Amino acid sequence: MRKVDPVKHEQKRGEILGAAIRCFIRDGFRGASTTDICTEAGISPGHLYHYFPSKVAIIEAMIDLGLARSAEKFEKILAAPDVIEALLVDIEETSLRFRPAQILNLDGLAEAARNPEFAEIIERHTSAVRRMWSDFLRQAQDRGRVDPGLDPDATANILIALVDGSRAMPIRNPKLDIKQSVEHLRTMLVRFLNPPDAQSAAIKPRIQKTGRPLKLVRKR
Amino acid sequence: MRKVDPVKHEQKRGEILGAAIRCFIRDGFRGASTTDICTEAGISPGHLYHYFPSKVAIIEAMIDLGLARSAEKFEKILAAPDVIEALLVDIEETSLRFRPAQILNLDGLAEAARNPEFAEIIERHTSAVRRMWSDFLRQAQDRGRVDPGLDPDATANILIALVDGSRAMPIRNPKLDIKQSVEHLRTMLVRFLNPPDAQSAAIKPRIQKTGRPLKLVRKR
């Protein structure tokens, strides 16, 4: 039996994953075959199976990588001094400015609706992200920063839906006004989340004076 | 040359379109071939080309049909006594309760990001729907029902993104609480769109008394 160098093995897995992602972006999860992935990675099918037992295993590894990255990203967003602003910067950079990787999110959702194995992966990913958001929302409610009348899980689901929907915006509107879109998303999020006290006190004068939406009001 | 009966021709086109939609739901726009569509429709490839010159022509006809239906639907929503409620009923019925046809919307967006021909169709569709929404929003602003500080086109884009995102909700959350999701979407939309006057006057007492979000306030 051949001796496996664990560092080289990990490196090769990473290379194959990169090749698979390029194939999936080009041809979709359904359209890209393991043969295509092997060609792109410059390896034989027999060689592939030393690293990944199946196409689903590649997709799972890809989603695990994506989940680790998005956990890291959300930790950063949720630790920012202004969480709404940090979320908007992320939506602007990764959703409203189109990047090919966005195709994978749309494709992944469509494929989850077709394939139970895939659905299970997406569901697991979603519940991890939802938990991060709802923990944050609960803490923000305790500190009087977010309307206590909102259910944290239901609100988290809507924030995730909004990120999903914002990914479609540059596809639907190639000439999207990104700055204006961010401003309107900010207005919607702030009005949605702010406690009613802050809304009645703060929305009217700020909007009317400057035409700019307010920031999430903080109690200090 | 064979004489074409226009009624029969239309009927056959409709049948082929139905077969194509089943194939696209099952295998995606990229995965389903014209051969698959012919098999599903029970016709020969030569026969297909009497009705549609290409796969793209089938997809265009499908989107035109979808556009006509959604124009009809939005006309109805925008003529309803409470537009936000009518929109929420539609989101509940056609997005939050999963239907296989939703796959086509997600797939269509992913494919538009890959294929310029497809992108042009989606862009055309989006601008027609956006125009309907922004015309409505402008009228509602004139009547004092919607915040005049919001840009009608930017707001319409966000409403469309919200519908796109809500389609992903039942896929991401198979046990989605539909009633609670609709209530939170209602809160978000009403708070986003209401004029600042109505927000400061109406949100606080209504939310606190009943725990239910307010309806879009009307000036009569």
Side-chain angles (χ1 to χ4, degrees), chain A residues 84-143:
Chain A
I84 299 291
E85 283 311 312
L87 173 63
L88 288 167
V89 167
D90 183 67
I91 288 179
E92 178 176 347
E93 284 172 5
T94 67
S95 298
L96 301 184
R97 295 187 200 286
F98 178 73
R99 299 170 321 148
Q102 272 158 254
I103 299 174
L104 296 182
N105 289 85
L106 293 162
D107 240 9
L109 288 167
E111 198 51 30
R114 287 189 188 106
N115 178 339
E117 222 168 350
F118 222 101
E120 200 272 321
I121 304 174
I122 296 276
E123 194 186 337
R124 185 161 51 80
H125 181 147
T126 301
S127 68
V129 174
R130 182 176 51 239
R131 205 160 32 243
M132 284 192 265
W133 271 109
S134 60
D135 286 349
F136 159 74
L137 290 166
R138 219 167 272 119
Q139 285 170 27
Q141 286 175 327
D142 289 345
R143 289 188 218 132

Side-chain angles (χ1 to χ4, degrees), chain A residues 51-71:
Chain A
Y51 299 94
F52 296 100
S54 65
K55 192 165 105 176
V56 169
I58 299 179
I59 293 170
E60 268 186 334
M62 199 189 76
I63 293 180
D64 282 338
L65 187 72
L67 181 56
R69 279 194 194 149
S70 83

